[in-house]
Amino acid sequence: MKISARAFISAASALFVLTTCAPAATITYTAILKGSNEAPPVASTATGFATLTLNGDMLSVMETFSGLIGGPASAAHIHCCALPGSNASVAVPFPSFPNATSGTFTGSFDLTDPAVYSTAFLTAQGGTAAGAEAALIAGFNSNMAYANIHDAMFPGGEIRGFITIVPEPGSFSLAGILLTIAALTGIRRKKASIA
């Protein structure tokens, strides 16, 4: 069965519309925490890793850390919204964060609940959870939010990691389809101009 370039493009366009109009999927973000990400940088050998999963309005956080040299963690948060190399206010505090030099934190946050946010962040976003949620997600998607762990020696933060989106495997497939379409269309046009 031979398929024309026009039929192929039509089918690919339909696939694109179906995949981009689908309901919102779960989005995964990660952050690698280290002292050199602090502003100003901190000479710490401590490390950490966070995975944040956004499913609708629910944000799940799993953060591991080890080797804090400034003492046990005194606080941990998500800060938003600032470019790397600068500081931002606390957006989402992590309650019950382990008071230890190494450990794991897991938490779930309903981003429609105003109590999830710091008072300052909520106020700066118009005083509503909807405004705070929109700003937080925009910060995640633009690499302007970070996870931070504070302790006695480093009250501004010992280790920090900017939150970045993990691309969906399907987005690579769609990109491949679109590149194939572009290549086939270009080949088809080149053959037509030669003839």
Side-chain angles (χ1 to χ4, degrees):
M1 178 175 140
K2 190 174 182 180
I3 185 167
S4 71
R6 181 172 289 178
F8 183 77
I9 291 170
S10 295
S13 296
L15 176 64
F16 177 77
V17 168
L18 288 173
T19 58
T20 56
C21 294
T26 299
I27 303 170
T28 302
Y29 302 88
T30 59
I32 299 171
L33 288 77
K34 52 189 179 176
S36 60
N37 289 337
E38 290 289 346
V42 170
S44 174
T45 55
T47 59
F49 186 79
T51 301
L52 300 90
T53 306
L54 182 64
N55 189 350
D57 295 315
M58 291 300 298
L59 178 67
S60 299
V61 177
M62 183 175 155
E63 185 169 279
T64 59
F65 63 102
S66 64
L68 294 179
I69 62 173
S74 57
H77 327 273
I78 295 172
H79 294 252
C80 191
C81 303
L83 292 170
S86 57
N87 295 307
S89 65
V90 173
V92 178
F94 294 162
S96 305
F97 195 82
N99 185 270
T101 57
S102 298
T104 300
F105 169 80
T106 57
S108 292
F109 304 90
D110 178 354
L111 298 180
T112 64
D113 181 357
V116 162
Y117 306 98
S118 72
T119 303
F121 186 73
L122 190 67
T123 301
Q125 308 310 322
T128 67
E133 178 179 15
L136 184 67
I137 293 170
F140 287 177
N141 292 334
S142 60
N143 199 36
M144 293 178 65
Y146 57 90
N148 207 11
I149 300 176
H150 307 260
D151 54 44
M153 186 183 292
F154 302 103
E158 181 171 340
I159 57 174
R160 159 191 306 196
F162 273 84
I163 297 167
T164 57
I165 193 166
V166 176
E168 290 183 47
S171 64
F172 293 118
S173 300
L174 182 58
I177 290 169
L178 295 176
L179 288 172
T180 302
I181 291 168
L184 288 174
T185 304
I187 291 169
R188 194 90 162 137
R189 286 186 182 150
K190 186 174 181 180
K191 284 183 181 179
S193 66
I194 293 174

